[in-house]
Amino acid sequence: MTNKTIIQVENLNKSFGGLQALKNVNLDLKSNEILGLIGPNGAGKTTLFNIISGSISPNSGLIMFKGSDIKNKRSDQRCKLGIARTFQITKPFQNMTIVENVTVGAYFGKNNISISQARKKAEETLELLGMKELQSFEANTLSIGNRKKLELARALATDPQILLLDEVIGGLTPTEVNAMIETIKEIKKMGISVIMIEHVMKAVTSVSDRMIVLNYGEIIARGTPQEVTENPIVIEAYLGGAKNA
Amino acid sequence: METVAKTNKGKRSFVARKEYWYQSTKVLYSASAIILIILPMFVGNYTLHILTLTLIFAVLALSWNLVAGYSGIFSFGHHAFFGIGAYVSALLSIKYGLSPWFGLIIGGGIAAISGIVISLPVLGLRAAPYIAILTLGFAEIVKLIVSNLVGLTRGELGLSGIEPFTSIGSISFNLAHRLNSYYLILAVMCLVVFVILKVISGPRGLALKSIRESQDAAESLGVNLRKSKLYVFMLSAFIAGVAGSFYAHYVQVLTPSSVLGVDIMMQILVITVIGGLGTIYGPIIGSFIVVMGLEYLRFLGDDRLMIYGVVLVLVIIFMPEGIIKKVFRKAK
Ligand SMILES: Nc1ncnc2c1ncn2[C@@H]1O[C@H](COP(=O)(O)OP(=O)(O)OP(=O)(O)O)[C@@H](O)[C@H]1O
Ligand SMILES: [Mg+2]
């Protein structure tokens, strides 16, 4: 396994009006690594994904993808470069079939692919996620678990180098959780690097190589899953969050 | 996996719903062919005129449906492209003696360019109300310009004596040969349906529909929002411009209010919504219902507008997906 850095985030800051959602965030993602990103509600996790994927811009800071600054790239261009994401609040293309949903990712996520190749790729991706038999149903018929899988399928079909997963496990049934964990391990084997936001602690700790903890926009801890879960600062942040809630 | 099975079953019974004889595509196509091709040979001039207007509005609604129904961008300035096509083609024929056949293409072309121009400020907007106001404002400006360029357009006095389409051999398109004009607009409409079917079933259609459903998701999956929106505005404006140009050479008189009035936009909207937004044949069915309905209810005077309103409200409440999907389940 090479240890090449694929994504590097330096001194990222983002505020919404008076609220500083991210403060001097630094992180890197190595190739073929799963990085778990945890933190209480409102910590800024999704905001970080929005900035990396290009849907909002930071106030300051740098994002390097394989050594080059991607500040001036739009979301769709970043996707073509190999950065794919899922949405925490799922955004399926409701009145389109499942296979059409995934074909959008397969066709537009890459340059120079024919529509029939894209369709085939979409079917293969659905097969991988065990959703093949649903492919001709419209997305508005899906259960929450399948909507999350559809998010993943679309992102995966873009043939990404890095995948940003925003709570694909929360809300799933126990059986679905186990299946999803297996899928994520499978994705790693395909050579894709993953940053994974997750509240379901058992799930993140079981797949992550390293973890990072955000609290009020700041990184308060990083390390192996064991180091992080045993860190008193992290425990305090979570308990404090629970007290305020 | 349990949820999978459940969705599956629920959906299967839905698909297997009994199909009535009138829902088969064969019956549908033969009926349309008879109504559209054969029936008009046996009707009088007045009915033929109404049928021709119906198809003009069908083409207009088909073009607006590309933007609103397939891409989810509610532009309310579509009548501007109709008016631009009409005036460009009429003026070119009056001032420079250009053949209306070329006018059809150039009228469409200028409308397409205007479509690109108006789409530029729209590209940056996501909120529907702003898009509505901006596009409506654009159409009002076009109308003001046309009304005030009196030297060129004669303002509200209007243009008259616009040349009809020049004969092809012995086939003439003047007012004494309305049937030929009817077949001409029918051919235009079929061509438009063909083009739209092609676009919608290909990658462009995939991009447009994904934009309609979620711009954020579409963009995150590599869809270039700007390019797709520019494209759909350009194509739909071109088609609307062609419809306008046809209208000019068919009725042979033009005033700013007859082709640039906001009531045209209302008509397009109502036709498309009643027929079925985002369906291929909805705008055609809608046009038959609305244009013919309004015409044959003329004896009711202004009360017909009330009926029109009531019908619209009923359709929105009871069949929000439009008539076509209600009657033909598989309609897309
Ligand atoms: N577009 C926005 N405009 C204003 N405030 C925002 C916006 N997006 C996020 N915020 C705020 O920024 C903070 C961080 O939000 P973010 O969604 O990144 O949290 P999160 O860590 O993903 O939380 P959760 O675990 O609940 O998903 C929150 O206080 C949120 O209200
Ligand atoms: Mg979040």
Side-chain angles (χ1 to χ4, degrees):
Chain A
M1 192 168 95
T2 54
N3 250 7
K4 251 176 55 191
T5 299
I6 184 151
I7 268 262
Q8 184 152 13
V9 171
E10 281 174 25
N11 288 322
L12 210 60
N13 283 285
K14 176 73 192 177
S15 42
F16 296 109
L19 177 96
Q20 185 141 25
L22 292 175
K23 282 177 221 160
N24 281 322
V25 169
N26 287 285
L27 66 84
D28 59 348
L29 177 69
K30 305 261 186 270
S31 76
N32 214 4
E33 170 183 56
I34 298 184
L35 180 65
L37 179 55
I38 64 168
N41 291 114
K45 303 179 297 292
T46 299
T47 303
L48 181 60
F49 272 17
N50 286 340
I51 291 173
I52 297 177
S53 68
S55 58
I56 63 177
S57 21
N59 298 111
S60 65
L62 198 62
I63 302 164
M64 309 280 279
F65 176 70
K66 297 206 290 187
S68 52
D69 187 357
I70 53 171
K71 182 172 65 214
N72 296 323
K73 303 270 184 220
R74 295 185 312 262
S75 286
D76 56 307
Q77 294 170 318
R78 294 189 194 189
C79 172
K80 287 196 166 81
L81 282 178
I83 303 174
R85 66 148 333 155
T86 69
F87 290 93
Q88 177 179 359
I89 298 161
T90 56
K91 297 178 191 287
F93 303 134
Q94 297 275 20
N95 297 299
M96 294 165 67
T97 62
I98 309 295
V99 71
E100 274 183 311
N101 266 263
V102 183
T103 307
V104 172
Y107 184 80
F108 294 98
K110 271 266 158 292
N111 289 314
N112 308 321
I113 178 169
S114 76
I115 190 77
S116 55
Q117 282 171 314
R119 168 94 187 194
K120 199 159 150 265
K121 169 102 194 168
E123 288 176 6
E124 284 165 9
T125 310
L126 286 168
E127 178 95 71
L128 178 78
L129 295 182
M131 293 178 83
K132 188 85 200 295
E133 69 276 33
L134 294 174
Q135 70 168 6
S136 35
F137 297 122
E138 288 197 346
N140 54 31
T141 62
L142 290 183
S143 67
I144 179 69
N146 281 325
R147 283 167 62 130
K148 298 232 165 174
K149 277 206 228 166
L150 178 60
E151 283 286 324
L152 179 55
R154 286 192 313 199
L156 205 50
T158 66
D159 210 354
Q161 299 181 33
I162 76 163
L163 193 52
L164 309 173
L165 302 179
D166 198 346
E167 297 194 26
V168 288
I169 290 178
L172 301 190
T173 64
T175 349
E176 286 173 330
V177 170
N178 290 333
M180 188 60 96
I181 288 174
E182 288 315 307
T183 308
I184 292 167
K185 287 180 177 162
E186 207 56 43
I187 289 170
K188 182 181 169 175
K189 280 194 200 133
M190 292 159 68
I192 299 170
S193 317
V194 177
I195 306 182
M196 169 176 180
I197 296 175
E198 203 46 77
H199 282 296
V200 183
M201 206 53 92
K202 235 173 62 190
V204 243
T205 51
S206 71
V207 295
S208 297
D209 298 304
R210 278 191 304 140
M211 285 175 65
I212 283 183
V213 189
L214 263 183
N215 191 26
Y216 293 114
E218 278 178 298
I219 293 181
I220 55 165
R222 50 178 100 216
T224 64
Q226 199 186 356
E227 283 163 8
V228 161
T229 44
E230 287 169 0
N231 187 327
I233 301 172
V234 176
I235 296 168
E236 166 60 25
Y238 269 88
L239 289 180
K243 244 185 271 160
N244 293 341
Chain B
M1 277 294 105
E2 269 165 27
T3 43
V4 171
K6 212 162 110 207
T7 338
N8 228 339
K9 224 195 273 158
K11 192 75 187 186
R12 202 173 290 134
S13 62
F14 174 70
V15 170
R17 171 192 284 257
K18 182 170 167 13
E19 192 170 277
Y20 296 97
W21 63 269
Y22 63 83
Q23 288 175 319
S24 96
T25 33
K26 236 186 242 162
V27 173
L28 178 63
Y29 285 131
S30 345
S32 326
I34 291 171
I35 293 172
L36 290 173
I37 299 173
I38 305 191
L39 218 59
M41 294 177 188
F42 304 101
V43 302
N45 265 342
Y46 169 69
T47 311
L48 212 44
H49 177 62
I50 304 305
L51 277 172
T52 306
L53 287 181
T54 302
L55 296 197
I56 293 173
F57 270 99
V59 171
L60 252 181
L62 280 164
S63 70
W64 185 69
N65 191 36
L66 265 175
V67 183
Y70 285 106
S71 321
I73 305 166
F74 283 80
S75 145
F76 289 119
H78 208 66
H79 51 305
F81 308 128
F82 181 69
I84 289 170
Y87 267 95
V88 165
S89 190
L91 287 171
L92 285 175
S93 114
I94 292 170
K95 306 272 172 194
Y96 303 101
L98 186 82
S99 154
W101 296 103
F102 289 116
L104 214 52
I105 309 295
I106 297 176
I110 302 288
I113 293 170
S114 335
I116 294 176
V117 170
I118 183 58
S119 76
L120 290 175
V122 169
L123 293 178
L125 298 174
R126 293 256 171 128
Y130 294 131
I131 293 177
I133 292 167
L134 191 92
T135 48
L136 197 57
F138 157 75
E140 273 308 296
I141 291 169
V142 171
K143 187 179 174 201
L144 279 176
I145 292 175
V146 172
S147 315
N148 286 301
L149 283 179
V150 179
L152 187 66
T153 64
R154 306 189 6 155
E156 273 301 335
L157 283 174
L159 297 173
S160 54
I162 302 165
E163 282 294 302
F165 287 97
T166 22
S167 323
I168 306 177
S170 62
I171 308 168
S172 160
F173 296 94
N174 57 33
L175 289 177
H177 299 87
R178 285 183 191 271
L179 189 60
N180 293 338
S181 294
Y182 169 81
Y183 283 130
L184 177 58
I185 187 70
L186 179 63
V188 169
M189 185 183 83
C190 292
L191 193 64
V192 166
V193 167
F194 176 76
V195 169
I196 291 177
L197 270 172
K198 265 266 182 264
V199 169
I200 289 309
S201 59
R204 295 242 190 233
L206 206 55
L208 296 178
K209 284 189 278 182
S210 72
I211 288 175
R212 172 187 71 194
E213 301 295 333
S214 166
Q215 302 206 18
D216 289 334
E219 195 176 26
S220 82
L221 295 168
V223 175
N224 184 336
L225 302 182
R226 279 181 150 265
K227 211 168 98 185
S228 298
K229 289 179 189 174
L230 270 179
Y231 170 81
V232 74
F233 263 93
M234 188 183 73
L235 178 62
S236 74
F238 178 82
I239 297 171
V242 168
S245 163
F246 177 89
Y247 178 86
H249 299 291
Y250 170 66
V251 300
Q252 300 170 23
V253 287
L254 283 184
T255 63
S257 23
S258 73
V259 289
L260 285 161
V262 74
D263 50 320
I264 307 253
M265 186 62 239
M266 266 310 285
Q267 188 103 323
I268 296 172
L269 173 76
V270 173
I271 288 170
T272 318
V273 170
I274 287 186
L277 262 175
T279 61
I280 300 276
Y281 298 106
I284 301 175
I285 307 249
S287 190
F288 271 87
I289 295 170
V290 174
V291 179
M292 301 215 111
L294 279 181
E295 200 53 42
Y296 289 109
L297 291 176
R298 225 171 241 289
F299 67 90
L300 291 172
D302 280 348
D303 290 348
R304 72 199 170 113
L305 294 177
M306 206 172 76
I307 298 182
Y308 182 63
V310 170
V311 168
L312 182 62
V313 170
L314 289 178
V315 166
I316 289 172
I317 293 174
F318 294 107
M319 30 180 144
E321 345 122 281
I323 283 171
I324 192 141
K325 276 207 187 161
K326 198 78 174 178
V327 182
F328 306 102
R329 283 257 150 226
K330 287 181 292 187
K332 269 274 149 67

